[in-house]
Amino acid sequence: TVTLPLGRAHLPQDRIGEADPGREANVSVASYVQESERWLDLPPAPAAREAGSNDTILLADDNADMRDYVRRLLEADGYRVIAVANGREALDVARFSLPDLVLTDVMMPELDGFGLAQALRADPHTRAMPIVMLSARAGEDARAEGVEGGADDYLVKPFSAKELLARVSLQIERARR
């Protein structure tokens, strides 16, 4: 049984402040609304990137819901997306189609994200391909392991749509330079 007292009579008086219902709450609410709208089947927003961009992203994630969500985010931002369910499929597709970026989950069947990154880095045709890893494992050690494992960037789930799109765009631009 959990009991949650209502009101503020149970709180120490020196810890009670006046709430500012203005600025900070509105910013938080707006970001949550924007994020939740991306989960709905709404028409995609106009592409925020250059018109005519044909950048291709190879997306590897064994979770169908996550794969579909990320695919829709990327397509709404103007990317062409090839989505696969595991690292083995991703490796085959990457070698055949040479995408502009690989976006991969870490934990997948058949070949995980680290194995995929290692195989891509070992192949002269895919060695320079940018790789962004997605993982539920947070913290400095997990990020370091991701980068040491061959990733150019490491994004922790849950992530904001805005951050994902910014990091993908950044990695593609860095690879071009």
Side-chain angles (χ1 to χ4, degrees):
T1 301
V2 175
T3 304
L4 298 175
L6 298 175
R8 57 185 190 177
H10 63 283
L11 299 172
Q13 290 301 314
D14 64 329
R15 303 288 296 185
I16 299 174
E18 292 301 316
D20 179 9
R23 187 185 61 148
E24 195 170 314
N26 289 337
V27 170
S28 296
V29 169
S31 65
Y32 284 115
V33 169
Q34 183 182 28
E35 184 70 19
S36 64
E37 284 175 344
R38 292 186 182 273
W39 281 92
L40 301 173
D41 285 328
L42 299 175
R49 301 174 336 100
E50 295 177 18
S53 175
N54 290 332
D55 294 329
T56 300
I57 297 175
L58 172 56
L59 169 62
D61 196 315
D62 60 322
N63 181 305
D65 291 333
M66 179 61 75
R67 190 172 59 244
D68 186 55
Y69 169 64
V70 173
R71 179 191 51 77
R72 286 187 290 129
L73 285 177
L74 295 168
E75 287 176 346
D77 206 43
Y79 294 103
R80 182 175 164 260
V81 179
I82 303 169
V84 298
N86 64 59
R88 180 69 51 209
E89 289 179 49
L91 183 57
D92 293 341
V93 169
R95 288 177 171 159
F96 178 75
S97 66
L98 297 174
D100 297 289
L101 179 134
V102 174
L103 182 60
T104 181
D105 188 18
V106 170
M107 299 299 293
M108 294 183 293
E110 296 192 40
L111 183 65
D112 67 10
F114 292 113
L116 174 60
Q118 183 180 22
L120 291 172
R121 296 297 185 228
D123 185 330
H125 296 100
T126 59
R127 180 173 292 140
M129 193 176 289
I131 301 169
V132 176
M133 286 189 182
L134 303 174
S135 177
R137 289 186 54 218
E140 189 176 320
D141 290 342
R143 288 181 194 275
E145 184 181 5
V147 173
E148 290 169 1
D152 296 288
D153 203 350
Y154 185 94
L155 192 57
V156 177
K157 296 176 186 178
F159 49 82
S160 76
K162 189 174 184 178
E163 183 178 15
L164 172 71
L165 295 172
R167 288 185 186 222
V168 163
S169 177
L170 174 68
Q171 290 304 323
I172 289 174
E173 288 302 316
R174 288 174 84 188
R176 281 198 182 117
R177 287 186 222 146

